[in-house]
Structures are given as C-alpha cells and as structure tokens.
C-alpha cells in the first residue's frame, strides 16, 4: 500500500515480520520475497509467508482468503492467499456460504446454505479489499453486484443495504445455471 494511503515509508526485505490480520486475529508471519531485494511501499508482489507456529492455523486457510498487514494498530497493506502450500493448514470445509464482490471475498454468511431469496442475512465480514470495496460502492449510492456458489452453481445478488453491522439486505437473487 502506498504511503499516501497509510502504507510504510521505507522499503522492506525478506525476513520482514509485520502482523498478519487474518480471520479476526493478528498473527506473526515471516515474509520471503524471493528474488526481490527491497520491496518499496506500494509495490505489488507475491510473497511466501511462513508461520512460526503453524499449528494455530490447521484447517483455517484457503485460497482467496483476504488479509491485512499491520504494524501495531496501523494497516500498511493487504493481500489475499493465492495458494496454501502446507495442506495440513488448508481449510477442508465447503465455502459455499462465502460471498464475493468482483473476485474479492467479502465475508461468510452465517447460514449453512447460501441465500436463495431476497431478505436480510447475517454475515461475518472479512477485513479486506472485497468488504471495503463493497461498502464503498454502497456509500456511493450503488447496489453492488455480489455472488456466492452452491456447489458449481453461481448465485448472483445485489446488496440493497447494510442495515447494521454484520447484516446485508439482498435483492435480485438469481440462481445462474
């Protein structure tokens, strides 16, 4: 994230250990930037992250999961997991209750099945770009188009509003085949 948006002022190198805010908690993770000697603020990259205590993450991580990078209480960057290399850490649960804005995960519905009709639904928001962009779209007066999956079937819907934290109002729910 560039300094103008709250990112770091100085570059970092492999071995850097900011807090990784993931699934509602801060974690320590060592960064490896491969052949990049110095990563400058705002420069996108793909990094390999290693947890010093991986047992805390068994069955919790999955591709597409967003995260924040923080130093203290200041957010300095964000990203999402592209691939979980340690299969023991990879979440084995079905993600059909997770929903997306564009291709970024927004959160997880609090129901066991995805929404099939209009109405209000509780969800656990992710603190990442998907949730942020969806909220920005709502605050600009739009009705953001989101989607989730029921197996291989895509369910598209508009977010008509967020009447309170952790609740979205869905409209125009369409089950695509």
């Amino acid at each position: 994230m560039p300094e103008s948006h709250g990112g770091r002022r100085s570059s970092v190198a492999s071995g850097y250990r900011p807090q990784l805010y993931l699934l509602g908690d801060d974690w320590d993770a060592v960064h490896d930037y491969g052949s990049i000697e110095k990563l400058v603020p705002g420069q996108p990259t793909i990094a390999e992250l290693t947890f010093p205590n991986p047992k805390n993450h068994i069955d919790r991580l999955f591709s597409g999961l967003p995260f924040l990078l923080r130093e203290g209480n200041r957010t300095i960057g964000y990203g999402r997991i592209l691939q979980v290399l340690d299969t023991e850490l990879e979440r084995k649960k079905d993600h059909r209750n997770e929903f997306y804005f564009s291709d970024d995960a927004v959160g997880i519905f609090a129901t066991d099945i995805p929404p099939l009709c209009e109405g209000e639904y509780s969800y656990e928001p992710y603190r990442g770009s998907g949730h942020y962009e969806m909220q920005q779209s709502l605050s600009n007066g739009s009705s953001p188009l989101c989607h989730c999956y029921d197996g291989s079937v895509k369910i598209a819907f508009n977010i008509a509003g967020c009447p309170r934290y952790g609740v979205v109002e869905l409209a125009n729910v369409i089950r695509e085949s």
Side-chain angles (χ1 to χ4, degrees):
M1 184 156 43
E3 181 183 352
S4 61
H5 291 110
R8 290 180 51 85
R9 293 185 187 120
S10 59
S11 60
V12 297
S14 289
Y16 176 54
R17 294 173 81 143
Q19 296 157 317
L20 182 72
Y21 186 79
L22 183 70
L23 296 171
D25 290 305
D26 282 312
W27 302 97
D28 190 25
V30 180
H31 293 214
D32 181 352
Y33 302 119
S35 63
I36 298 174
E37 286 189 35
K38 295 282 184 187
L39 186 66
V40 298
Q43 178 183 356
T45 191
I46 294 175
E48 187 172 313
L49 307 182
T50 305
F51 294 108
N53 191 352
K55 292 182 187 221
N56 291 330
H57 305 283
I58 291 174
D59 194 37
R60 296 189 69 210
L61 308 178
F62 55 91
S63 297
L65 179 66
F67 60 85
L68 299 176
L69 298 174
R70 304 196 313 186
E71 290 180 346
N73 62 359
R74 190 179 98 190
T75 300
I76 57 156
Y78 58 90
R80 67 179 157 173
I81 295 175
L82 298 177
Q83 180 181 9
V84 179
L85 300 176
D86 183 340
T87 57
E88 186 177 22
L89 305 183
E90 192 165 23
R91 185 186 284 179
K92 299 177 182 56
K93 297 177 188 172
D94 185 358
H95 298 288
R96 66 180 169 185
N97 57 350
E98 185 172 62
F99 71 103
Y100 303 84
F101 176 63
S102 297
D103 288 327
D104 294 324
V106 173
I108 295 178
F109 288 114
T111 58
D112 291 335
I113 60 171
L116 301 174
C117 60
E118 297 179 356
E120 289 187 3
Y121 292 86
S122 295
Y123 76 107
E124 180 183 330
Y126 292 150
R127 293 192 167 109
S129 58
H131 191 259
Y132 174 78
E133 296 294 330
M134 182 199 76
Q135 290 291 339
Q136 284 295 108
S137 182
L138 271 173
S139 67
N140 291 335
S142 296
S143 182
L145 179 62
C146 294
H147 67 277
C148 64
Y149 294 94
D150 185 6
S152 62
V153 177
K154 183 176 183 179
I155 301 171
F157 49 85
N158 292 98
I159 304 293
C162 289
R164 57 194 171 281
Y165 181 80
V167 175
V168 287
E169 183 181 346
L170 304 188
N172 307 318
V173 179
I174 300 171
R175 190 173 170 91
E176 300 175 0
S177 47

